[in-house]
C-alpha cells in the first residue's frame, strides 16, 4: 500500500496502476505551477513573441512597472534579464493586451524601419 498526497488530497494506492496514475497527476500538477527563473528567451518563447517585443516592453516605463516584480535584479541574474517564471506567467495572463499595446507604441522608437 502506498500513501501519497496531491495538493491537500490524500490518496492510498493499492497497486502499480494506481501508483502510475498518481505519478501522472503529480506531473500534471507540476506543469501547472511553474517555478524558477527563466531567461528572457524562454519568457518570450513561452508567450509566442520575439526578442524585439520583450525589449519594447522592458524598456518602456509602463512595461517596467508591470514587470518589476517578475524581473530578477541584474546583480542576481545570469544574463542581462532573467524573469521569475510564475510571476511572469501571472502578469502575462492578466495584462496581455496592455503588454501588446506597450510594445506597439515602443517599437517605432526602438526599432525604426529603414
Amino acid at each position: 500500500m502506498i500513501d501519497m498526497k496531491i495538493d491537500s488530497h490524500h490518496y492510498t494506492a493499492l497497486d502499480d496502476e494506481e501508483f502510475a496514475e498518481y505519478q501522472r497527476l503529480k506531473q500534471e500538477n507540476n506543469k501547472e505551477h511553474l517555478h524558477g527563473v527563466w531567461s528572457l528567451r524562454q519568457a518570450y518563447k513561452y508567450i509566442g513573441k520575439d526578442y524585439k517585443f520583450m525589449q519594447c516592453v522592458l524598456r518602456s516605463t509602463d512595461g517596467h512597472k508591470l514587470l518589476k516584480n517578475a524581473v530578477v535584479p541584474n546583480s542576481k541574474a545570469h544574463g542581462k534579464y532573467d524573469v521569475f517564471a510564475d510571476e511572469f506567467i501571472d502578469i502575462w495572463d492578466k495584462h496581455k493586451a496592455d503588454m501588446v499595446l506597450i510594445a506597439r507604441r515602443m517599437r517605432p522608437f526602438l526599432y525604426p524601419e529603414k
Side-chain angles (χ1 to χ4, degrees):
M1 182 157 40
I2 303 166
D3 288 327
M4 59 201 111
K5 192 171 189 178
I6 301 176
D7 291 330
S8 60
H9 304 288
H10 187 264
Y11 296 95
T12 303
L14 300 175
D15 59 15
D16 290 339
E17 188 177 310
E18 289 179 348
F19 184 69
E21 177 66 12
Y22 160 73
Q23 293 291 355
R24 188 189 65 72
L25 286 171
K26 189 174 173 183
Q27 272 187 332
E28 231 174 66
N29 189 36
N30 286 341
K31 286 179 185 173
E32 290 173 9
H33 304 290
L34 298 170
H35 297 289
V37 175
W38 280 353
S39 67
L40 194 60
R41 179 184 306 260
Q42 288 170 304
Y44 67 71
K45 281 188 175 184
Y46 174 81
I47 62 174
K49 299 295 181 185
D50 62 356
Y51 175 80
K52 290 179 180 179
F53 174 87
M54 287 301 290
Q55 287 300 315
C56 289
V57 173
L58 287 169
R59 292 186 180 185
S60 72
T61 24
D62 294 338
H64 184 73
K65 286 177 189 175
L66 273 177
L67 294 174
K68 70 180 176 184
N69 293 330
V71 175
V72 177
N74 280 349
S75 59
K76 296 179 183 173
H78 292 288
K80 185 170 181 179
Y81 292 109
D82 285 341
V83 295
F84 295 110
D86 45 359
E87 283 91 351
F88 179 78
I89 292 169
D90 288 343
I91 292 168
W92 175 251
D93 289 342
K94 292 176 187 170
H95 302 285
K96 185 183 308 186
D98 296 332
M99 289 172 73
V100 169
L101 289 174
I102 290 168
R104 281 187 188 153
R105 265 196 330 253
M106 288 298 292
R107 196 169 191 122
F109 299 109
L110 292 177
Y111 304 101
E113 297 294 322
K114 292 182 181 181

